Amino acid sequence: MSDVNLNLAIQHGLTKTEYQKILELIERKPNITELGIFSAMWNEHCSYKSSRVWLGTLPTKNNRVIQGPGENAGVVDIDDGDVAIFKIESHNHPSFIEPYQGAATGVGGILRDVFTMGARPIANLNAIRFGSPDHPKTKHLLNGVVAGIAGYGNCIGVPTVGGEVEFDNCYDGNILVNAMNIGLAKKNKVFYSIASGVGNPVIYVGSKTGRDGIHGASMASQEFDSDSESKKPTVQVGDPFAEKLLLEACLELMQTDTIVSIQDMGAAGLTSSSVEMASKGNIGIELNLNKVPCRETGMTPYEMMLSESQERMLIVLKNGKEKEAEKIFKKWDLDFSVIGILTDSKNLTLKFDSKTVCDIPISALADEAPKYKRDWVEIKKPEHIDIEKKLDDINIEQIIKRLLSHPNQADKSWVWEQYDHMVMCDTAQVPGGDAAVIRVHGNNKKAIAATVDCTPRYCNAHPYTGGMQAVCETYRNLCAVGAEPIAITNCLNFGNPEKPEIMGQFVGVIKGMAEACNKLNYPVISGNVSLYNETNGVGINPTPTIGGVGLVKDISKVKSFKFKNKNSDIYVLGRTKGHLEQSVLCYDLLHLKKGPPPPIDLNIELKNGKAVKSLIDKDLIDACHDVSSGGIILCLLEMSIASNIGFNLKTHKKALDRVKYLFGEDQSRYIVEVNEQNKQSFENYLKDIDIFFKNIGKTSEKIFIDDDLKFDLKELSEINKQWFYKYNN
């Protein structure tokens, strides 16, 4: 019946031990279709076999969480019967091979994860990372990815409101494309993927199935080598206009009383969607593959089950509701086909040409998937390095200009101006600030704030501190606009987990994240893991991208990072000790990449964040910006350039100490602008709650640092804006 053997199983990404386990579970040799299904469900991308043990240690609940990890996306309560539904996912491997389609289908996939739960998508965000700008592939990859994100998001009509762009030679062979989406729904209209009801019909809707994307999930679970270009056939092709039709049709169907469960066909396509639905419901599912709408002739069961063609959904309907549902999908000019039925067999049964071509226990594909507790080594905090000699003769004026022109700190408007960030007309705070702010449509006061962040150089130096910092950075950005931080989603990007040092990075990051999430009452409610981001044995820096979401109860109080007036007082909240190791100054400008990242005191992080939010609620500050990469000086320069208002900064420091003060990246700090009218109340309030603060200067016409440094604001603004335009012209 089958020519399946160990060598073929290995070609499908399975190990000898895993193949042996399959033989034991089904008590026979699988046929080629069954082998393909096992390879899809047991690969890293679908089974999380290297990470599940550690993911289970993350906190996932607080009083606003309605649905945590385990569904298509997480759900949080935002009052008034409304919920926010959100998730972030990776599309790294496909985007490296085919940047436009890889990035575009990454956006399409995350949109489906959200609207399959009944939410109308209201905002896209992304975190994209590339190799050195000098690498021969980087410009092509940057342009392709940005165009792909723009092309899909703009066409479907969902604003792209925030994100981050970074370059580092560790991504030369593996770029990262992490896409996030947020949607809004009513609390009593959230849909889940748990199949139930023996005899209920299983419906295929959306676009037709083709041969694109076959083995996409398996490809995303392997290292690259010098032959990665040959994997182009495993990259899916997206159609945002078809997705728009699918979105509207699904949301219309959700207004009826017809749906039992619904699941998008993402990684591993029809295989993962059918198996996951049946597994969650502890039920069997039988599909007739002759009923699957195909756009190519002669497709085999193997190809149909493993195709990752885009813009498709699998729905379990209440029995007898088929005609009512079909009418909606036909109206939207989409395929609608009854392809199966729920059974009491607890098996995945596939029929094709009147023959049974697959009959596997659902538990063997899901519950019995391998779960590894891989060997790992603890990555200890590195020793401090002596950098003072390197800083003795530093020219602050030149370094500031180099800082502003570095691609990682340069103005990113070249990127986000390609995205439609105003479509739907609810974007209240555009890209470029601490967090995006999106109005809850139809509500005059309420809004959602969102941000994505990570500092991979910190994570590489000390994963535990870096994981903690990534969570705290999003928390800070939400507080800085006046939002109540609610929960996070994460996209955990790492190298090969079979290497103990890489697994040690993963474990360290998870431990740091868990500690921060617990302290801040800021749980993880969704996300994904992307491993094997390596090419020819060289892995990326650990990059746990964190997407943070918060609630704004009164949008009129939201603050931006732009200075508002001249002659206002400028304060820093939080102590500055001048930690330079792993700073932008050392890492990017001086190429000193050793030493520990800045430490974090979570008690101070929580206290300072709450204080800033209270200051905003009380209308005691006019502008706010968290101090992060680049230290106090970059924070001030960003506020200044955005507003065209200068500042007069008094460091009261000399030589080396001034460098530390300006460029140090101590954590848990914010810079705020306070007008004369609020100054006394501001200071009294912070004294009352025991928050460290210091007046460091005033807003002004030009930029002054102490009595010896003077800058032309227009010149600095030009320097900051030029890099991306020069690079891409």
Side-chain angles (χ1 to χ4, degrees):
M1 179 181 173
S2 170
D3 56 355
V4 168
N5 56 37
L6 176 60
N7 284 338
L8 190 60
I10 289 170
Q11 289 172 32
H12 276 72
L14 295 162
T15 66
K16 180 180 179 180
T17 305
E18 288 168 353
Y19 180 60
Q20 191 60 44
K21 185 176 181 181
I22 290 168
L23 298 180
E24 292 169 6
L25 283 169
I26 64 174
E27 299 180 338
R28 59 179 171 81
K29 189 186 286 189
N31 62 39
I32 186 63
T33 301
E34 292 171 329
L35 179 70
I37 287 168
F38 268 109
S39 79
M41 291 307 299
W42 282 20
N43 68 48
E44 196 72 60
H45 198 74
C46 293
S47 73
Y48 293 85
K49 57 190 174 187
S50 296
S51 57
R52 272 189 294 167
V53 169
W54 292 104
L55 293 175
T57 65
L58 291 167
T60 59
K61 295 177 181 176
N62 67 14
N63 62 352
R64 286 193 178 273
V65 174
I66 293 170
Q67 174 65 52
E71 263 296 339
N72 287 293
V75 185
V76 295
D77 192 325
I78 58 167
D79 300 334
D80 311 310
D82 298 323
V83 295
I85 300 179
F86 60 95
K87 188 182 186 182
I88 190 169
E89 279 207 336
S90 61
H91 231 224
N92 304 335
H93 287 64
S95 299
F96 184 76
I97 295 168
E98 175 42 65
Y100 184 94
Q101 290 297 348
T105 52
V107 173
I110 199 66
L111 281 161
R112 287 194 303 280
D113 277 339
V114 168
F115 75 72
T116 191
M117 296 195 70
R120 178 169 291 281
I122 61 163
N124 290 322
L125 297 93
N126 58 73
I128 51 179
R129 289 185 162 84
F130 303 92
S132 165
D134 300 327
H135 190 277
K137 281 189 174 181
T138 297
K139 189 183 291 188
H140 164 70
L141 292 168
L142 170 68
N143 279 276
V145 165
V146 171
I149 291 169
Y152 209 99
N154 295 358
C155 288
I156 200 169
V158 177
T160 300
V161 298
E164 53 179 358
V165 185
E166 186 177 52
F167 300 85
D168 190 287
N169 59 14
C170 77
Y171 305 109
D172 281 349
N174 289 84
I175 65 170
L176 301 185
V177 176
N178 297 172
M180 178 176 171
N181 182 261
I182 306 166
L184 290 177
K186 287 297 179 184
K187 194 174 182 178
N188 61 353
K189 275 287 186 180
V190 176
F191 291 81
Y192 297 95
S193 58
I194 304 165
S196 65
V198 171
N200 278 334
V202 179
I203 318 296
Y204 172 119
V205 299
S207 298
K208 287 180 167 60
T209 294
R211 291 189 171 95
D212 54 322
I214 293 172
H215 289 306
S218 299
M219 179 265 291
S221 305
Q222 300 167 358
E223 284 188 38
F224 278 155
D225 53 30
S226 50
D227 194 34
S228 62
E229 285 291 315
S230 67
K231 295 186 171 72
K232 278 193 176 180
T234 61
V235 177
Q236 314 94 315
V237 177
D239 180 350
F241 299 106
E243 180 122 335
K244 175 64 173 173
L245 298 177
L246 184 62
L247 161 65
E248 298 300 340
C250 286
L251 292 182
E252 184 173 336
L253 183 68
M254 287 163 175
Q255 297 306 308
T256 67
D257 184 28
T258 60
I259 299 173
V260 174
S261 64
I262 180 167
Q263 171 80 40
D264 82 291
M265 293 191 216
L270 189 52
T271 289
S272 64
S273 55
S274 56
V275 170
E276 286 173 15
M277 291 172 88
S279 172
K280 288 173 185 175
N282 193 28
I283 201 166
I285 188 167
E286 181 179 307
L287 304 179
N288 180 353
L289 298 183
N290 292 100
K291 299 288 183 75
V292 172
C294 293
R295 67 168 181 262
E296 298 183 47
T297 57
M299 287 191 71
T300 65
Y302 177 96
E303 291 172 324
M304 281 186 252
M305 291 305 291
L306 296 186
S307 167
E308 292 186 7
S309 294
Q310 296 291 286
E311 294 88 39
R312 302 179 300 160
M313 290 276 186
L314 200 62
I315 304 173
V316 175
L317 290 177
K318 292 179 179 177
N319 215 341
K321 298 288 188 178
E322 296 92 327
K323 291 294 180 191
E324 184 181 348
E326 183 177 17
K327 188 177 178 183
I328 291 171
F329 283 89
K330 292 301 180 188
K331 182 185 94 171
W332 290 99
D333 198 24
L334 292 164
D335 275 291
F336 178 100
S337 180
V338 181
I339 65 167
I341 192 170
L342 296 183
T343 70
D344 59 5
S345 69
K346 297 191 179 180
N347 280 13
L348 172 67
T349 307
L350 303 179
K351 305 279 190 180
F352 185 68
D353 291 347
S354 301
K355 296 176 183 173
T356 299
V357 294
C358 169
D359 198 17
I360 310 173
I362 293 286
S363 60
L365 295 168
D367 300 342
E368 298 292 338
K371 185 158 75 171
Y372 298 128
K373 192 157 189 179
R374 296 197 183 275
D375 291 339
W376 61 280
V377 293
E378 183 180 357
I379 314 294
K380 295 191 172 155
K381 188 180 285 190
E383 296 291 321
H384 289 284
I385 59 170
D386 182 11
I387 56 176
E388 298 203 354
K389 288 179 183 174
K390 296 275 187 180
L391 303 175
D392 276 345
D393 57 353
I394 200 167
N395 184 313
I396 290 178
E397 186 174 354
Q398 288 179 2
I399 283 288
I400 283 174
K401 290 178 180 178
R402 284 181 60 201
L403 176 70
L404 287 172
S405 64
H406 190 280
N408 288 345
Q409 316 310 325
D411 180 276
K412 306 295 194 303
S413 55
W414 176 88
V415 175
W416 58 260
E417 282 175 356
Q418 296 183 56
Y419 308 147
D420 189 337
H421 51 275
M422 295 304 295
V423 64
M424 296 169 67
C425 300
D426 283 321
T427 307
Q429 193 124 293
V430 301
D434 290 294
V437 179
I438 312 99
R439 295 178 193 87
V440 172
H441 196 75
N443 187 304
N444 292 329
K445 293 191 76 173
K446 201 164 58 175
I448 296 291
T451 181
V452 287
D453 292 286
C454 182
T455 312
R457 62 183 186 277
Y458 291 177
C459 298
N460 192 53
H462 189 224
Y464 173 78
T465 305
M468 188 183 292
Q469 191 273 342
V471 172
C472 291
E473 178 68 19
T474 64
Y475 186 86
R476 237 174 275 152
N477 282 335
L478 295 174
C479 290
V481 299
E484 170 200 328
I486 295 177
I488 68 170
T489 180
N490 60 56
C491 192
L492 307 176
N493 308 275
F494 291 80
N496 184 346
E498 296 164 47
K499 298 178 179 177
E501 64 274 18
I502 301 296
M503 202 62 213
Q505 291 175 346
F506 185 84
V507 172
V509 161
I510 289 285
K511 287 184 173 184
M513 285 174 56
E515 191 167 337
C517 289
N518 275 317
K519 184 66 184 180
L520 302 174
N521 191 27
Y522 191 42
V524 178
I525 65 161
S526 60
N528 92 320
V529 178
S530 174
L531 302 176
Y532 296 96
N533 290 288
E534 294 202 8
T535 295
N536 295 324
V538 179
I540 63 165
N541 284 345
T543 310
T545 306
I546 307 296
V549 171
L551 173 63
V552 175
K553 293 184 178 178
D554 185 352
I555 199 168
S556 69
K557 292 182 181 291
V558 164
K559 299 301 175 195
S560 77
F561 72 118
K562 298 179 182 180
F563 286 135
K564 302 302 182 294
N565 298 290
K566 291 168 188 170
N567 209 35
S568 294
D569 283 279
I570 302 171
Y571 291 82
V572 61
L573 275 63
R575 293 183 185 276
T576 301
K577 295 180 180 177
H579 187 103
L580 285 177
E581 292 152 304
Q582 299 301 329
S583 67
V584 168
L585 173 66
C586 287
Y587 189 95
D588 282 333
L589 302 184
L590 303 178
H591 308 294
L592 299 170
K593 300 191 176 185
K594 294 185 177 178
I600 300 176
D601 183 324
L602 291 173
N603 289 312
I604 292 174
E605 188 72 58
L606 180 63
K607 197 173 174 184
N608 288 1
K610 285 187 171 181
V612 165
K613 188 175 178 310
S614 292
L615 289 168
I616 292 171
D617 287 343
K618 294 173 185 293
D619 281 324
L620 292 178
I621 60 176
D622 292 339
C624 182
H625 197 12
D626 85 300
V627 182
S628 55
S629 292
I632 279 178
I633 189 58
L634 185 60
C635 184
L636 284 168
L637 288 167
E638 287 173 343
M639 296 174 86
S640 192
I641 290 169
S643 59
N644 201 30
I645 294 173
F647 58 85
N648 190 336
L649 172 64
K650 298 294 184 185
T651 70
H652 305 292
K653 306 286 182 184
K654 298 296 180 186
L656 176 61
D657 284 342
R658 184 160 69 163
V659 173
K660 289 180 177 178
Y661 185 82
L662 291 173
F663 299 96
E665 295 185 9
D666 308 279
Q667 299 295 292
S668 315
R669 295 181 298 162
Y670 301 80
I671 285 180
V672 298
E673 174 191 2
V674 181
N675 62 48
E676 185 63 35
Q677 185 181 336
N678 288 328
K679 184 175 178 179
Q680 199 60 55
S681 298
F682 166 85
E683 292 191 358
N684 289 342
Y685 176 71
L686 293 182
K687 285 174 186 172
D688 286 346
I689 60 172
D690 192 29
I691 298 292
F692 179 87
F693 66 93
K694 187 170 185 178
N695 189 316
I696 59 172
K698 283 185 173 287
T699 54
S700 65
E701 189 76 34
K702 296 185 178 178
I703 295 175
F704 302 92
I705 301 174
D706 297 319
D707 299 320
D708 60 329
L709 289 172
K710 179 181 175 183
F711 298 87
D712 181 74
L713 177 52
K714 188 176 179 183
E715 180 193 1
L716 294 186
S717 181
E718 282 299 310
I719 289 170
N720 190 229
K721 286 182 167 69
Q722 282 175 357
W723 189 87
F724 274 91
Y725 292 96
K726 282 185 174 179
Y727 184 68
N728 290 287
N729 287 330

